[in-house]
């Protein structure tokens, strides 16, 4: 049998590829690319409804996800929200890219580090991982520090109807956006637009 | 199981294509993050698949 734990981790980290959206042309098959966010989200929700109602077994699901919304739906919902708010003109692109990649990597890193080295070291590893990702992409120390702290705090509470996969995207993004919007933080590199044109 | 294998292979392909696209557009920082972040779980999963094939 495939190691389900590793399979789950890989499914989590591969979600960082959502950022390829920013390389898409502004129109695909005559439709604005933003419509594809909604289409993708509906597809994910449809799969989840089928899983919950028809009892379809999907490899890698945790036992407690049998009768509640699975983490892939929470993650996809968070990413779609971030991309949607970017398209509306709210969230800066660099923050959205960094937050999606950060959420895809930091949650598994915290999980693995906590399992191997304990709770405190799990938090430290999560902070280092999220800080590094924010700094590599956003390039502003202020946002990297605030974003990483917000992400690790958002990961902590285990709430049934507000999964950490969604919280780790929404909470840091809203905080960073508010700081940027009200000019409480430094200016973003290139005003937050790091990908100017698609393919 | 064959569906799962096909799905996993698709994920590897998606990763390779996405990374290549970011390299092509000279967004090396994003490409490197995609490759490095998926390398460890990707390698571990490939090992797991190979072990399963041996059995």
């Amino acid at each position: 049998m495939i190691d389900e734990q590793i399979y789950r981790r890989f499914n989590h980290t591969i979600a960082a590829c959502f950022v390829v959206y920013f390389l898409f042309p502004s129109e695909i098959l005559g439709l604005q690319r933003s419509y594809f966010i909604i289409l993708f989200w509906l597809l994910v929700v449809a799969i989840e409804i089928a899983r919950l109602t028809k009892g379809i077994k999907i490899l890698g699901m945790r036992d407690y996800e049998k009768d509640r919304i699975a983490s892939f739906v929470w993650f996809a919902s968070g990413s779609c929200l971030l991309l949607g708010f970017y398209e509306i003109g709210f969230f800066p692109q660099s923050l959205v890219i960094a937050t999606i990649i950060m959420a895809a990597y930091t949650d598994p890193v915290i999980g693995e580090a906590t399992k191997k080295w304990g709770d405190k070291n799990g938090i430290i590893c999560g902070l280092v991982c999220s800080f590094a990702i924010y700094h590599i992409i956003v390039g502003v120390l202020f946002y990297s520090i605030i974003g990483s702290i917000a992400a690790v705090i958002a990961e902590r509470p285990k709430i049934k109807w507000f999964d950490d996969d969604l919280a780790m995207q929404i909470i840091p993004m809203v905080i960073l956006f508010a700081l940027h919007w009200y000019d409480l933080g430094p200016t973003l590199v290139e005003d937050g637009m790091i990908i100017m044109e698609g393919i | 199981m064959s569906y799962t294998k096909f799905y996993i292979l698709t994920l590897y392909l998606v990763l390779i294509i996405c990374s290549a696209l970011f390299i092509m557009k000279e967004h090396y920082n994003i490409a490197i993050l995609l490759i490095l972040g998926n390398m460890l779980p990707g390698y571990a999963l490939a090992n797991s698949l190979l072990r399963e094939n041996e059995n």
Side-chain angles (χ1 to χ4, degrees):
Chain A
M1 274 295 284
I2 293 171
D3 187 328
E4 286 202 32
Q5 176 76 357
I6 297 170
Y7 178 75
R8 258 197 303 272
R9 298 296 189 214
F10 187 58
N11 269 286
H12 210 292
T13 55
I14 201 84
C17 290
F18 280 155
V19 297
V20 80
Y21 172 83
F22 292 101
L23 292 181
F24 288 173
S26 53
E27 278 196 10
I28 305 163
L29 304 168
L31 274 176
Q32 276 191 348
R33 69 176 183 180
S34 52
Y35 286 111
F36 285 86
I37 303 171
I38 302 165
L39 280 176
F40 173 73
W41 186 75
L42 288 174
L43 178 72
V44 170
V45 171
I47 292 169
E48 181 62 351
I49 291 170
R51 185 184 75 86
L52 288 171
T53 56
K54 308 250 185 256
I56 296 168
K57 281 197 173 178
I58 298 178
L59 186 73
M61 291 290 118
R62 289 192 170 94
D63 286 339
Y64 63 78
E65 287 178 323
K66 209 161 63 181
D67 53 359
R68 66 183 244 192
I69 300 169
S71 57
F72 73 89
V73 184
W74 292 108
F75 194 96
S77 303
S79 299
C80 290
L81 266 174
L82 261 55
L83 295 174
F85 275 103
Y86 160 75
E87 286 294 350
I88 295 168
F90 279 109
F91 294 166
Q93 189 197 61
S94 62
L95 293 179
V96 172
I97 293 173
T99 304
I100 292 175
I101 297 179
M102 178 280 296
Y105 294 165
T106 307
D107 192 28
V109 163
I110 294 175
E112 286 297 318
T114 303
K115 209 168 71 181
K116 285 195 174 108
W117 303 305
D119 211 31
K120 203 186 279 179
N121 289 326
I123 293 172
I124 294 168
C125 288
L127 281 171
V128 171
C129 174
S130 49
F131 173 82
I133 292 166
Y134 270 117
H135 205 60
I136 288 168
I137 294 171
V138 181
V140 182
L141 198 64
F142 176 79
Y143 292 110
S144 308
I145 293 171
I146 304 283
S148 56
I149 294 170
V152 173
I153 291 171
E155 196 272 341
R156 302 313 289 172
K158 303 294 173 207
I159 306 164
K160 190 176 177 181
W161 296 108
F162 191 58
D163 195 88
D164 59 351
D165 287 316
L166 177 65
M168 281 186 81
Q169 293 180 77
I170 299 298
I171 294 172
M173 189 69 228
V174 169
I175 293 171
L176 295 179
F177 171 65
L179 291 169
H180 171 70
W181 184 261
Y182 292 110
D183 283 330
L184 297 170
T187 322
L188 285 167
V189 178
E190 312 257 10
D191 212 24
M193 278 297 285
I194 53 173
I195 300 175
M196 299 294 181
E197 57 178 50
I199 39 178
Chain B
M1 187 53 73
S2 57
Y3 284 115
T4 311
K5 279 182 186 165
F6 177 73
Y7 170 70
I8 292 169
L9 288 177
T10 312
L11 292 186
Y12 283 121
L13 197 65
V14 166
L15 175 66
I16 291 164
I17 291 170
C18 290
S19 308
L21 286 175
F22 279 110
I23 290 169
M24 261 170 57
K25 301 301 282 183
E26 297 179 5
H27 295 294
Y28 301 114
N29 53 350
I30 300 173
I32 287 168
L33 275 177
L34 289 183
I35 295 165
L36 286 181
N38 284 289
M39 203 160 66
L40 209 63
Y43 175 73
L45 187 62
N47 258 344
S48 167
L49 273 173
L50 289 174
R51 265 202 312 270
E52 194 212 345
N53 276 349
E54 279 171 14
N55 291 336

